[in-house]
Amino acid sequence: KPDNTAFKQQRLPAWQPILTAGTVLPAFFVIGLIFIPIGIGIFVTSNNIREYEIDYTGTDPSSPCNKCLNVSWDSTPPCTCTINFTLEHSFESNVFMYYGLSNFYQNHRRYVKSRDDSQLNGDNSSLLNPSKECEPYRTNEDKPIAPCGAIANSMFNDTLELYRIDNDTRTPITLIKKGIAWWTDKNVKFRNPTGDGNNLTALFQGTTKPVNWPKPVYMLDSELDNNGFINEDFIVWMRTAALPTFRKLYRLIERKNNLQPTLQAGKYSLEITYNYPVYSFDGRKRMILSTISWMGGKNPFLGIAYITVGSICFFLGVVLLIIHHKYGNRNTSADIPN
Amino acid sequence: MERCAARRAPEEERRVRANAREYNEKFQYASNCIKTSKYNIVTFLPVNLFEQFQEVANTYFLFLLILQLIPQISSLSWFTTIVPLVLVLTITAVKDATDDYFRHKSDNQVNNRQSQVLISGVLRQEQWMNVRVGDIIKLENNQFVAADLLLLSSSEPHGLCYIETAELDGETNMKVRQAIPVTSELGDTSKLALFDGEVICEPPNNKLDKFGGTLYWKENKYPLSNQNMLLRGCVLRNTEWCFGLVIFAGPDTKLMQNSGRTKFKRTSIDRLMNTLVLWIFGFLVCMGVILAIGNAIWEHEVGVCFQIYLPWDEGVHSAFFSGFLSFWSYIIILNTVVPISLYVSVEVIRLGHSYFINWDKKMYCAKRRTPAEARTTTLNEELGQVEYIFSDKTGTLTQNIMVFSKCSVNGHSYGDVQDVLGHKAELGERPEPVDFSFNPLADPRFQFWDPSLLEAVKLGDPHVHEFFRLLSLCHTVMSEEKSEGELFYKAQSPDEGALVTAARNFGFVFRSRTPKTITVHELGRAITYQLLAILDFNNIRKRMSVIVRSPEGKIRLYCKGADTILLERLHPTNQDLTNVTTDHLNEYAGEGLRTLVLAYKDLEESYYEDWSERLHRASGAPEAREDRLARLYDEVEHDMMLLGATAIEDKLQQGVPETIAILTLANIKIWVLTGDKQETAVNIGYSCKMLTDDMTEVFVITGHTVLEVREELRKAREKMMDASRSMGNGFSYQEKLSSTKLTSVLEAIAGEYALVINGHSLAHALEADMEVEFLETACACKAVICCRVTPLQKAQVVELVKKYKKAVTLAIGDGANDVSMIKTAHIGVGISGQEGIQAVLASDYSFSQFKFLQRLLLVHGRWSYLRMCKFLCYFFYKNFAFTMVHFWFGFFCGFSAQTVYDQYFITLYNIVYTSLPVLAMGVFDQDVPEQRSMEYPKLYEPGQLNLLFNKREFFICIAQGIYTSVLMFFIPYGVFADATRDDGAQLADYQSFAVTVATSLVIVVSVQIGLDTGFWTAINHFFIWGSLAAYFAILFAMHSDGLFQMFPNQFRFVGNAQNTLAQPTVWLTIALTTVVCVMPVVAFRFLKLDLKPELSDTVRYTQLVRKKQKTQHRCMRRVGRVGSRRSGYAFSHQEGFGELIMSGKNMRLSSLALSGFAARPSASWIETLRKKKGGEGSTACSPSGAADKTLKV
């Protein structure tokens, strides 16, 4: 005999929500009323952000970098070029310097998988025997490549330097290179191989540099905590971008004191050591200077989207209200045909 | 079951020689072993896997798995496919194995039944499966017949034997079979062992009522017919023993030939799903092709240049080849549009629904202690789409019990249930039944509630006495007295039995009969009437009479029969009484009772002598015997005196009329297919309110030839059309309407019609050139009754409707004769708890009462359908929303088949993050409470019209899914394109993007399931909130330092969750995506609800508004109890028993020997009898009962 339980007899107590005018219409209005102010807030914040962008690829023959357009990885001496520019407004708070690449497919499947996180995490066996995923940048001349893979191999290696030109004097601006990577990446995900002592040269013994690199990974920087796999430029590069046009944080410019803006309005010059060829695949390189707010850098899309969606919600609410009032079903039981 | 031989080529004719196994083995006839199982231990794994991989889906996933093992293509790890695939295969295999185990068990049980086989002159116990064609086997009373036998001899005189064929054709009345005279003398084993006759007969076939063959024995030919055959499935009754020669065994028997092939049933949703899945495959291939072309172009334009950073794979030398590989890679990552979990989830939901059916307390029959059982777990949602119900009658609609309910004697009606004050009592408050304890011979099971009738008997009312005397004399019942006072009546129809039993309880006990006498105990006195003649029943006469001579010597004719016939034949002096009785008859008919009118007539001695003389001559006449007899009968049954009328209730199963009424309101058409006679079937049609007097016309098709049937069908159609034309429906009737047009016209017919068709007409109607005509006519009628149909015809009718109407059919029945119909229909329902279990074994659902059908369909079926549809809609939606993101992403990642999400998210999305909420909805959702679906049967209609899930709905879901996927990709794209984090770092890295899209996807689909869930039980809450919680928990776990430290290459997303989800921009994006995805859906649904609500929405809304008020709705109008009179035997009553009785053929030898004494005065006859009995040393018994006492020869 079947049990007489609420579960078995399908009599479980339940909440049975229905979309009624009483719930739907207010919901639309409330969403509208919440979204519009948020959108305005974001929009205003975004507009207050200073951003400056230079394309230094040099496709334009008049560009100073045009000469470097067909540079190759192993060209010596490196091609350098200088671009002058003027900031109309001063950058008040901390300024972030980015390099931006376009038409660069860091999200290509074969590219994305072409790395060995085990190796990058300092695993000694992977260091000498990298994963197959790294092919064809797994070994070079029978030596394992460290760091292996297409991502590491294609690391961005232009050097950007910024000078303020004040009455023909070039004052270099201090660019801080640490603190640009995620803490977890720097401290958890990326680690140098372990062994006796801190001599990276010894630790990377038996490996070879990636094909495109001018120098091995343990010579990326002079500071020990920014060298090898934990070099922050390297880490930033290794965090692949989702889209073919992207920017990556390059340097920080910290505000010195409260009296002066970080970057005053005026003339500046950008000195580029042009090592990174992009022209062959129609790529573009940019340098971006930007301040940030609570929600990051300039982001007009989000604000506009919020305002639009909020308005549509509100508008829909009104339309639905009218429709409901005019044609709405009163939902009386008289409608139920027997 | 290797013992059962495989099929052979069809045979032309069958030669069987008795007692000659070697000879018969030459022909390799099938043995009597029956095999319904599919596998054995060795074949199970390969056969089952083979069967499973015949499922397109399984093969597809296997194919995907192989693709994923190719490194150049593999865009996803192999484990994303293999785990679910293995899981699915295992579950199915276990289920199949269990099913087959039970089939083995039942096969074994049947095959191991014992029977006595005559082998080299000795009777040996053998198992059924070892019985061979040509064996002679002995059957005993109440045994099942083991194979199709030629009856050789029996314990009864003239080689007669009685069988019950309920298992075969559902008829419960007994049938007589007779051995051919030459063999009927072979009574003992020694003679039988020498019997070496050879039978040449037709090959095995499924015709239950036909057999043609010849017996060659001792250089003589003897024709054989069905009259000599005992078919497998019959039960031997009232026959001590009999011998039979096995002609057909095992699968060749007519029973097995009649049981249709076991077909794997699929629901229409299943079929639709398969079609849709194929379409989705097509869609998948299209997308794959688009993306592959994109890839080829991209590699050609961009990729070839980008080789400085990303060289092509080894072996890839052209963009074209890269595109080709990319096609397969995309097939892999886009395969989640049809995840394997779809099939698993569907099965789980159906299983859940099946359990709800099994658990339903309201479908549990306390009396028989049987709960409802969903024997097939894959058909539940189809229960919500049934349009045609094919019902058996006996045992399904009716209980097959006849009850003497009321009577009218001399203008006084008895039988109303009365309360203490003498008022008519309401139903339900029945007082104690009448006490029959004064009568030691009373049948304790008989119940009657009106004490006044017994009073009248006791007071000696002569009319009442005569009334019961008639009932105790005028019948063809045989009695059997096992021990003193313990009478058993063997009636060929239950209603005759009911009448004689009624008389017995009221003190007129029919005790025994011989060919020439009938002995009745009248209020304790044994009186023997001399039986002068039985004027037997037939369908034209619709009455039967007996002529008896009372002990006083008076000759009297007693007659009972249908009112229409009998009332015309009364003496004119009866006019007043006739009027009163007619009123009573009308009253009874209105209550759905079957009536018979009783009358008598005194005959002059001289007249009788004369008549009897003429009768004798007529019955000896060589030609036109029937006609002459009929005229003589007619002559004597004239100017009779009315005694009264009886009313018999053919007890319907509980709640049958109500159930039929509700199902009819739910727009379900009910066809009754019965093996019973037309009158019986029509009567039941009336009493269960399928046929009503409001009906415009009931067409009866009884033609014997193709032309007649065609003509009758045509006339019926014309009448319907004429009527609808005259009603001014605006149909301009054209002479040449094409048959399709005809259908539409016929379907729009006004007025209610019913069709009754006979088995022999049906045979013609089902022929290829007429079936459409028949179907059109039948479908235009509100009710269809097919009577006298064979099991195969039942299946054919179902098949016909299935074929042309594209509607879901349900067959319900209780006997073996319903098996083929049950198997043929989309859904087969067996009535359990009765004696036969074949129907239940073949059925998909079983329960013990017809009335549970309404609950099964209107509650369980409706809910199942609703849930399944909602489930499928949501499922396709969520997978399209999930998968199509890859498509859009393809345009931004060089068509490289890079997934948007982490591979773990892809693996777990369908298994963990989104499976349980939708499962909970699929199992628990309810739109309206169960009592409402009974109150408003119209709520059932969406299922029949296939409204909740069809191609249109599917496209809407897909569109919604694609819409969601577009937003899911492009909103984060828009936001992330140039965005940076609040610490200045890049926001748009691949991993953050993946987490953002995945998180918004999970939230959006959770909100969507929240919107779809109409019935939030605690379980739904738990699953929905739990899934969200699980998502975040797993996300953080997968991105944790610990897992990364252990497997750095597997958990690359380390630290991603905390870094990404700490960004306000990410949450703003998720919120935006959610609102944009859900808002239009809410607006659309609200508008639909507000402007064009479905009935269920309205009911639901009303429910909400009036939660505290009690609704007064009643959906069912009580149909006024007015009905036309239907008089006559309720049950198929055969002609011929009267003759058997009079000839004494069916009497035992002992009684036959005594019949010679019958002519003497009764008192002395009894004395003689007693002496004779005593002399034979028989135990003492009551004088009159002794005659029928079973005596061994």
Side-chain angles (χ1 to χ4, degrees), chain B residues 425-494:
Chain B
E426 288 296 314
L427 264 111
E429 38 180 296
R430 292 197 149 176
E432 285 295 293
V434 174
D435 180 21
F436 289 107
S437 58
F438 80 98
N439 182 357
L441 291 169
D443 185 340
R445 282 164 304 176
F446 180 83
Q447 286 187 318
F448 199 75
W449 275 270
D450 186 356
S452 60
L453 185 58
L454 190 61
E455 293 291 306
V457 173
K458 284 183 174 165
L459 289 173
D461 182 334
H463 292 288
V464 176
H465 279 203
E466 199 62 17
F467 178 87
F468 284 117
R469 190 170 294 128
L470 186 151
L471 289 184
S472 65
L473 289 171
C474 179
H475 54 77
T476 54
V477 173
M478 303 291 292
S479 75
E480 193 176 334
E481 197 160 1
K482 290 257 165 72
S483 64
E484 171 68 33
E486 211 184 309
L487 276 171
F488 289 98
Y489 290 145
K490 287 182 281 180
Q492 57 154 325
S493 68

Side-chain angles (χ1 to χ4, degrees), chain A residues 10 98 109 277 297 306 324 333, chain B residues 309 867 896 980 984 1068 1090 1106:
Chain A
Q10 308 195 58
Y98 302 88
R109 178 169 61 88
Y306 260 82
H324 176 66
S333 60
Chain B
Y309 293 124
R867 290 163 180 174
S896 59
T980 53
L1068 286 172
D1090 205 41
R1106 304 192 175 180

Side-chain angles (χ1 to χ4, degrees), chain B residues 1000-1017:
Chain B
S1000 25
L1001 178 68
V1002 168
I1003 291 176
V1004 167
V1005 296
S1006 295
V1007 172
Q1008 184 65 40
I1009 191 71
L1011 279 178
D1012 283 350
T1013 304
F1015 195 74
W1016 287 69
T1017 64

Side-chain angles (χ1 to χ4, degrees), chain B residues 162-176 235 237-238 392-396 398-402 489-495 650 674-677 680 788 814-817 834-836 1130-1132 1134 1137:
Chain B
Y162 301 90
I163 51 169
E164 194 185 278
T165 56
E167 290 284 288
L168 272 177
D169 55 14
E171 290 183 34
T172 45
N173 53 325
M174 265 180 277
K175 298 207 173 64
V176 191
V235 183
R237 297 278 187 215
N238 300 328
D392 176 39
K393 186 191 76 74
T394 317
T396 307
T398 63
Q399 300 180 349
N400 201 20
I401 296 173
M402 295 290 157
Y489 290 145
K490 287 182 281 180
Q492 57 154 325
S493 68
D495 48 356
D650 181 2
T674 173
D676 267 320
K677 281 205 163 169
T680 323
R788 276 261 171 262
D814 72 318
N817 57 329
Q834 249 96 357
E835 58 267 49
F1131 252 75
S1132 45
Q1134 277 182 325
F1137 264 72

